[in-house]
């Protein structure tokens, strides 16, 4: 299991390196590695939850091109 997680993390990091928008990268990291709630991320970004969801959606669309 540990080996599978390491491989998955390696692939994720390689894909993340292809993103260019700092907000998208930070948001994905906060959400999926720090397990922060949408509200917490929005507060830290000083954005609304809706804006954070929009950034997240854009980030996923960008990632889709690299997977």
């Amino acid at each position: 299991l540990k080996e599978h997680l390491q491989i998955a993390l390696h692939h994720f990091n390689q894909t993340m390196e292809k993103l260019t928008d700092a907000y998208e990268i930070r948001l994905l990291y906060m959400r999926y590695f720090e397990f922060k709630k949408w509200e917490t991320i929005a507060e830290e970004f000083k954005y609304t939850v809706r804006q954070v969801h929009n950034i997240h959606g854009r980030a996923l669309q960008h990632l889709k091109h690299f997977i």
Side-chain angles (χ1 to χ4, degrees):
L1 180 63
K2 185 178 178 183
E3 183 179 324
H4 291 292
L5 289 174
Q6 288 175 333
I7 292 169
L9 181 59
H10 175 72
H11 288 295
F12 181 79
N13 284 333
Q14 284 182 324
T15 304
M16 289 286 285
E17 288 174 0
K18 295 176 183 176
L19 291 178
T20 58
D21 186 283
Y23 284 104
E24 292 177 5
I25 295 166
R26 182 70 184 130
L27 186 149
L28 293 173
Y29 185 82
M30 292 169 77
R31 181 68 178 168
Y32 297 111
F33 285 93
E34 296 177 354
F35 306 103
K36 293 190 177 184
K37 295 182 179 185
W38 296 117
E39 294 80 8
T40 304
I41 297 169
E43 188 176 294
E44 289 187 32
F45 278 20
K46 299 194 182 342
Y47 288 163
T48 65
V49 173
R50 167 61 70 198
Q51 289 171 306
V52 167
H53 281 280
N54 289 341
I55 295 169
H56 181 260
R58 252 191 342 264
L60 294 181
Q61 287 300 313
H62 290 144
L63 284 176
K64 196 165 131 179
H65 294 289
F66 303 121
I67 297 175

